């Protein structure tokens, strides 16, 4: 899995256009790099446009989601390019500390859920009804799940209600963290290739779904307020209107890169196209350039 972060180094781009006369110079922009390829796609395109169209120096920093938000107060992070809810962080850094602001929707719509691989849904069609999961717990047990069925999650920093869901839905399962998006994807890929059982956390937009058409397990439907108390959650995940978050200082700076962050908006299909190119071996910068070159009208709208 090729994830973008440049570990604090500026993105290596061709010489960028100078700022227009009288305009606020862009200067340096600190972009948090969270470890999933969809995020990398957003950040790569934002970074490419900022450097090549606005004359910015973009510094990308590999950080997990929670640590990224801590950087708003210190000045170490200016931009988070894809936020999946995180109501606790919103309250802490936007509402209470007022060191960050919502920079608007990315245009992406996110879904989180539990999935099985296609061969399982075909052989055991009732497994996609969450009420039947205990029937398959023994089949899904692993050496790490302590005799219970395994529910495989990704990075512990990802948005997840899974441990509460297992408890509150009375499921004979244990959440096991694979550690990363890359490990989660490889586990699903191997399970489909080898016809071995797996139940795992996954999400969209996500390029991998075009490679392996994972089948969602239906949990009790989400309703307003059903997930307010994290310890009592017993419903499926909501639909997430993904957004960008930027530091208050950056938002007030007049930087053209702050305006770009607010204006940046595209679709799940756009993100998946760039993410697929990155996964296929392109550098994030090359994948971003390919998309930008093919969507000049969209980019121009961001800049006007």
């Amino acid at each position: 899995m090729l994830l973008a972060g440049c570990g604090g180094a500026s993105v290596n781009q061709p010489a960028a256009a100078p700022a227009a006369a009288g305009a606020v110079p862009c200067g340096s922009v600190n972009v948090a790099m969270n470890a999933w390829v969809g995020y990398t796609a957003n950040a790569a395109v934002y970074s490419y446009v900022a450097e090549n169209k606005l004359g910015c120096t973009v510094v990308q920093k590999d950080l997990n989601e929670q640590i990224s938000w801590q950087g708003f107060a210190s000045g170490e992070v200016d931009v988070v390019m894809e936020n999946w809810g995180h109501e606790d962080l919103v309250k802490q850094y936007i509402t209470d500390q007022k060191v960050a602001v919502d920079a608007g929707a990315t245009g992406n719509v996110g879904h989180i859920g539990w999935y099985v691989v296609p061969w399982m849904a075909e052989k055991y069609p009732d497994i996609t009804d969450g009420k039947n999961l205990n029937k398959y717990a023994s089949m899904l047990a692993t050496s790490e799940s302590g005799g219970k069925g395994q529910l495989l999650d990704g990075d512990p920093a990802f948005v997840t209600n899974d441990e509460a869901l297992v408890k509150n839905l009375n499921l004979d399962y244990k959440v096991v963290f694979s550690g990363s998006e890359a490990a989660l994807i490889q586990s699903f890929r191997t399970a489909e290739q080898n016809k071995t059982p797996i139940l795992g956390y996954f999400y969209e937009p996500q390029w991998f779904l075009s490679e392996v058409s994972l089948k969602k397990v239906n949990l009790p439907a989400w309703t307003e307020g059903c997930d307010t108390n994290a310890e009592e959650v017993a419903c499926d995940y909501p639909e997430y209107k993904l957004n960008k978050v930027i530091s208050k200082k950056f938002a007030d700076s007049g930087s053209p890169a702050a305006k770009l962050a607010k204006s940046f908006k595209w679709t799940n299909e756009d993100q998946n196209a760039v993410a697929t190119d990155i996964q296929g071996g392109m550098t994030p910068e090359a994948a971003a350039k390919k998309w930008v070159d093919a969507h000049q009208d969209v980019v121009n709208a961001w800049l006007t």
Side-chain angles (χ1 to χ4, degrees), residues 103-207:
T106 66
N108 300 124
V109 179
H111 298 273
I112 295 173
W114 297 356
Y115 292 81
V116 295
V117 285
W119 81 261
M120 292 178 67
E122 182 176 347
K123 186 170 182 178
Y124 310 107
D126 66 338
I127 199 173
T128 57
D129 184 340
K131 295 176 182 177
N132 298 320
L133 284 175
N134 279 343
K135 175 180 173 181
Y136 297 99
S138 60
M139 181 179 74
L140 287 157
T142 70
S143 59
E144 297 179 74
S145 62
K148 297 185 176 184
Q150 175 178 279
L151 172 59
L152 188 66
D153 271 38
D155 187 323
F158 291 175
V159 173
T160 176
N161 298 327
D162 287 359
E163 289 182 334
L165 284 168
V166 166
K167 176 184 176 183
N168 296 326
L169 294 176
N170 297 310
L171 297 175
D172 190 25
Y173 283 78
K174 178 182 178 181
V175 175
V176 175
F177 289 94
S178 65
S180 68
E181 179 185 68
L184 192 58
I185 286 173
Q186 189 55 48
S187 295
F188 278 120
R189 180 184 285 125
T190 301
E192 178 64 10
Q193 290 173 346
N194 296 342
K195 300 298 185 284
T196 51
I198 187 172
L199 172 67
Y201 168 107
F202 212 60
Y203 41 88
E204 56 179 311
Q206 170 54 245
W207 64 269

Side-chain angles (χ1 to χ4, degrees), residues 246-286:
I246 63 178
S247 76
K248 180 68 163 57
K249 181 178 179 181
F250 184 56
D252 294 342
S253 68
S255 167
K259 179 182 182 298
L260 174 63
K262 295 174 184 177
S263 300
F264 180 98
K265 193 169 186 177
W266 62 354
T267 67
N268 286 12
E269 291 74 20
D270 291 326
Q271 185 189 96
N272 284 339
V274 176
T276 298
D277 283 338
I278 294 170
Q279 172 60 22
M282 278 191 179
T283 65
E285 294 81 8

Side-chain angles (χ1 to χ4, degrees), residues 65-66 69 83 86-95:
E65 294 171 82
Q66 284 80 2
W69 288 63
N83 172 50
H86 286 298
E87 295 304 320
D88 55 334
L89 298 177
V90 169
K91 182 179 185 303
Q92 182 176 355
Y93 294 101
I94 295 181
T95 306

